[in-house]
Amino acid sequence: MLRIWTQDCMTRIFPNTSIPEHAEKEAFMRSAKNEVACFQIGISAQSHDLNDLRVEISDLVSESGETISKDKIEILYAGYIPVHWHSAWNDPNDLEGIATGFYPDPLFPSLWRGVDRVQFPSVISLWGRIHIDESVPAGNYKGFIKISCRAGEDNVKVEIQVQSFALPKRSHFLMTNWFLVGPIMKFHKLEPLTEKFWQVIDRYAKNLADHRQNVVLTPLFCIKNIPNLIDGRIQGQLVDILETEPDRYSFDFHNLDRWIDLFFSHNFEVIEGSHLAGGSRHPAGVMIRKQGQENAEYRRFESTMDNNYRNFLQQFLISLRKHLDNKKWLGRFYLHLSDEPHGDQFEPYTNLAKFVKSLVPEIPLMDAMGSGEYASYVDHPVPLENLYESFVEKSGIPQEKIWFYYCCGPGGPYPNRFIDYPLIRVRIFTWLAFKYGIPGFLHWGLNHWDWHPPFYIEHTYNPYDNTTGGSLQAGDSYVIYPPLMPSKSDDPVDSIRWEIIRKAMEDYEYLYILKQIASDGDEQANHLFERINKTIVPNFAEYTRNHHYLEEVRTQAGQIIMKHKI
């Protein structure tokens, strides 16, 4: 027997999910323009009867005859991936699902159920998303989705209320999830800086922009240790470096320009220059070619305190600053020194920071850090979320310059995007950012499809088979997946968490517009902000876990906005 139901996008449909007692077969959503509305469909039947699944989508039509084309509606198929263990230091009620177990996360454009010799799960989870363009007139739009399989067929009604205002296309909140080139080259079998390389990078840039990511980590130095040249330039890095004579260097930024132009064409706001060093002492590896030589060589300077390295870095930074200024990019380029300085790194880190600032004071410095003693040496310190308030109190840095981040920590009640966290804990970070006036968010793992130390496995990493990197919380190291068949697709595979992160970024724009109205003295808007600060995000640990309540408040925000933006 075929059973179908709909639900919102904020709770997962597991392979053993029971059919809701009062199951609905109608998906209702509200959406601003320039927003992506999401919903889910659960399908249940005997396993073999779910084969030959077909989904047909109609246009959505308003009472006045306006249409949202079915081309703007996507149906994706949730894949079930293993979660080997739960995230530590959490109340069981603050987790979703049971680990060890299978969770829905990757969202595939098509479904593969294999052959009849195996029994696949008897529940299929579909993820629907509707792209509402700015040109769509306000109104209620209705249509249907027809689902058929061996068990029979049924229809789901779809209704979306398009509101009379549009979200800004460019986000007012900065977000970077670190975009790592190495894993992309590995899974797509790419060589750097070939035309195929640029084609794939463009597809990923589009995906990031579609999810409102607007800051991109950019590799300044070696991305692959190969001696080859391409078009007369070093193939292994974006900046071509020529040693014209001993300790004298020239820099060709042609390929860095192509990278920056590509991401700016997708409305990215900031280019995030990669780290100059690891552990504050160890300079990043560099590809350099010498005058008269056909090949490049890989070089690691001895120390960030080394005179040879300082000589090289001085020439590089001065040349980079001049180039950025000529391109009018100087205000949109940030630079990392060394990630998460701690312990005995104070002297080398602060020494490097002062050296860089003495040369290029116009280039903002930013780094994730767990200790406030480093904060005053950079322009944008990025503390862990549980340390944010103490940073504001003690660092002396203006609050509007302090970002925040999380990674494998902190654990416990704080927001994060682990696969076993309820999706409200993935979504809430932008509400906290708005409350505290935080300008940006950083996470290290957009696509770290690899093992993480401590290493104890040598076989090739597959992000569909292991979601922990071997030692982390499930999902810490990535929120997108490589395509299952890179030979046939250049596009990354979205995840449920990645969709919810986009929803969080859209939430921020609701709050941004609402704040403008509140600032003009609107009593309803100001009262709603008081409610938000008291009941949605009182602090970083005690935010609401009730996603229905969050949606209720968001709906009220939309109603207030519509009174002022019709």
Side-chain angles (χ1 to χ4, degrees):
M1 179 180 178
L2 178 65
R3 295 291 304 275
I4 295 174
W5 73 95
T6 61
Q7 62 185 60
D8 61 38
C9 64
M10 291 299 293
T11 55
R12 297 172 173 91
I13 299 175
F14 288 85
N16 57 353
T17 292
S18 299
I19 300 169
E21 184 177 348
H22 302 289
E24 298 284 345
K25 287 197 292 184
E26 179 173 346
F28 176 78
M29 293 149 283
R30 294 182 181 86
S31 175
K33 304 173 188 183
N34 291 334
E35 187 175 348
V36 179
C38 296
F39 63 98
Q40 294 182 92
I41 301 173
I43 307 173
S44 175
Q46 292 293 319
S47 176
H48 63 277
D49 286 338
L50 287 174
N51 286 352
D52 303 328
L53 183 70
R54 300 286 184 272
V55 178
E56 299 176 37
I57 308 168
S58 76
D59 293 336
L60 303 182
V61 183
S62 70
E63 292 181 356
S64 59
E66 303 287 352
T67 299
I68 297 174
S69 168
K70 62 184 178 182
D71 294 337
K72 296 294 183 179
I73 307 170
E74 297 176 88
I75 298 295
L76 304 172
Y77 301 82
Y80 295 120
I81 42 87
V83 171
H84 293 75
W85 45 66
H86 273 308
S87 306
W89 308 301
N90 283 280
D91 185 302
N93 294 322
D94 233 1
L95 299 171
E96 187 175 16
I98 299 174
T100 303
F102 283 87
Y103 283 65
D105 197 49
L107 296 172
F108 298 116
S110 60
L111 178 69
W112 185 84
R113 292 275 295 180
V115 293
D116 288 338
R117 71 173 69 100
V118 297
Q119 182 170 319
F120 284 80
S122 59
V123 172
I124 293 176
S125 170
L126 305 186
W127 186 276
R129 58 189 184 194
I130 306 175
H131 298 258
I132 306 300
D133 295 336
E134 192 166 4
S135 60
V136 176
N140 276 43
Y141 293 75
K142 297 180 181 181
F144 68 88
I145 296 172
K146 178 181 177 181
I147 296 169
S148 62
C149 60
R150 293 180 185 178
E153 65 179 50
D154 205 345
N155 288 343
V156 167
K157 296 178 181 178
V158 178
E159 180 177 357
I160 185 165
Q161 181 186 94
V162 177
Q163 300 176 108
S164 59
F165 64 96
L167 301 185
K169 290 183 178 180
R170 301 181 82 111
S171 295
H172 292 87
F173 182 65
L174 298 175
M175 178 177 70
T176 180
N177 296 273
W178 282 351
F179 179 64
L180 305 176
V181 176
I184 292 172
M185 293 196 302
K186 175 182 175 181
F187 277 87
H188 288 267
K189 296 180 172 60
L190 300 174
E191 291 299 318
L193 309 189
T194 61
E195 286 307 309
K196 182 63 176 179
F197 169 90
W198 290 113
Q199 178 182 323
V200 171
I201 295 298
D202 184 71
R203 297 306 300 168
Y204 277 75
K206 180 182 184 304
N207 181 280
L208 270 59
D210 285 347
H211 290 79
R212 290 185 172 261
Q213 174 155 333
N214 50 16
V215 181
V216 61
L217 184 68
T218 297
L220 297 178
F221 299 126
C222 182
I223 55 178
K224 187 173 182 180
N225 183 359
I226 54 174
N228 305 359
L229 305 184
I230 187 168
D231 297 328
R233 299 179 179 90
I234 293 171
Q235 187 175 2
Q237 67 189 21
L238 294 178
V239 179
D240 182 65
I241 303 174
L242 176 64
E243 191 171 21
T244 56
E245 57 183 85
D247 298 325
R248 298 297 300 170
Y249 305 93
S250 67
F251 304 91
D252 182 337
F253 297 105
H254 172 82
N255 284 309
L256 179 63
D257 289 352
R258 184 170 181 179
W259 174 284
I260 294 174
D261 280 330
L262 186 156
F263 281 93
F264 280 171
S265 74
H266 289 286
N267 291 329
F268 276 67
E269 302 290 349
V270 172
I271 300 300
E272 182 187 3
S274 60
H275 302 81
L276 298 180
S280 302
R281 291 184 173 85
H282 312 293
V286 185
M287 301 298 298
I288 297 175
R289 59 189 180 94
K290 293 184 177 180
Q291 191 76 45
Q293 291 186 350
E294 294 295 324
N295 295 325
E297 63 182 32
Y298 181 78
R299 187 178 303 179
R300 267 201 181 275
F301 291 95
E302 184 176 339
S303 166
T304 54
M305 308 290 283
D306 179 64
N307 288 335
N308 290 333
Y309 176 67
R310 291 291 176 97
N311 171 57
F312 164 79
L313 186 60
Q314 177 174 339
Q315 293 176 63
F316 170 72
L317 290 174
I318 291 174
S319 181
L320 176 65
R321 182 238 174 260
K322 181 178 179 181
H323 183 75
L324 293 172
D325 192 32
N326 288 340
K327 299 288 288 186
K328 302 189 185 308
W329 292 339
L330 196 54
R332 301 177 67 184
F333 184 94
Y334 296 0
L335 181 63
H336 286 290
L337 298 176
S338 184
D339 189 37
E340 295 183 321
H342 62 280
D344 63 355
Q345 295 180 36
F346 184 79
E347 173 56 28
Y349 184 90
T350 57
N351 192 292
L352 179 62
K354 287 186 281 189
F355 179 74
V356 171
K357 268 300 177 190
S358 72
L359 297 171
V360 287
E362 307 91 340
I363 296 179
L365 303 180
M366 67 179 298
D367 271 320
M369 54 186 62
S371 175
E373 63 182 339
Y374 297 91
S376 62
Y377 293 90
V378 298
D379 301 275
H380 298 289
V382 189
L384 280 167
E385 57 186 335
N386 60 321
L387 302 176
Y388 171 80
E389 290 175 282
S390 66
F391 261 70
V392 171
E393 292 173 9
K394 299 175 183 178
S395 69
I397 304 293
Q399 184 172 354
E400 65 272 14
K401 292 184 175 292
I402 302 175
W403 291 33
F404 78 119
Y405 83 109
Y406 44 72
C407 53
C408 55
Y414 296 94
N416 214 307
R417 61 1 141 55
F418 305 139
I419 296 174
D420 64 340
Y421 273 20
L423 294 171
I424 186 71
R425 300 185 66 186
V426 180
R427 182 172 176 176
I428 202 70
F429 76 103
T430 55
W431 294 71
L432 285 160
F434 197 91
K435 172 179 178 172
Y436 288 99
I438 302 173
F441 170 78
L442 178 152
H443 196 285
W444 75 279
L446 175 81
N447 63 312
H448 189 271
W449 306 316
D450 209 342
W451 301 109
H452 189 273
F455 300 110
Y456 59 93
I457 302 174
E458 290 186 348
H459 63 74
T460 301
Y461 188 77
N462 183 336
Y464 293 102
D465 291 341
N466 190 308
T467 57
T468 70
S471 62
L472 299 167
Q473 298 95 326
D476 180 38
S477 51
Y478 53 90
V479 288
I480 60 173
Y481 294 78
L484 289 174
M485 300 188 72
S487 63
K488 297 184 178 181
S489 173
D490 294 335
D491 290 312
V493 172
D494 292 329
S495 73
I496 288 175
R497 293 169 299 135
W498 192 221
E499 294 299 298
I500 296 303
I501 288 170
R502 169 166 54 197
K503 188 57 60 182
M505 294 294 284
E506 292 169 346
D507 291 345
Y508 190 94
E509 298 309 311
Y510 272 79
L511 297 174
Y512 180 87
I513 299 170
L514 185 68
K515 189 65 175 179
Q516 292 179 312
I517 295 170
S519 297
D520 290 337
D522 185 275
E523 188 173 336
Q524 274 189 299
N526 279 294
H527 284 165
L528 188 57
F529 268 116
E530 290 177 11
R531 184 177 166 197
I532 289 169
N533 292 336
K534 289 179 180 178
T535 64
I536 298 288
V537 281
N539 56 56
F540 278 92
E542 297 174 314
Y543 51 89
T544 183
R545 269 53 168 192
N546 186 338
H547 70 270
H548 296 293
Y549 178 58
L550 183 139
E551 290 289 356
E552 174 190 321
V553 170
R554 190 182 196 258
T555 297
Q556 292 178 16
Q559 291 169 345
I560 294 170
I561 293 169
M562 283 192 288
K563 289 198 314 181
H564 292 261
K565 289 184 171 285
I566 296 177

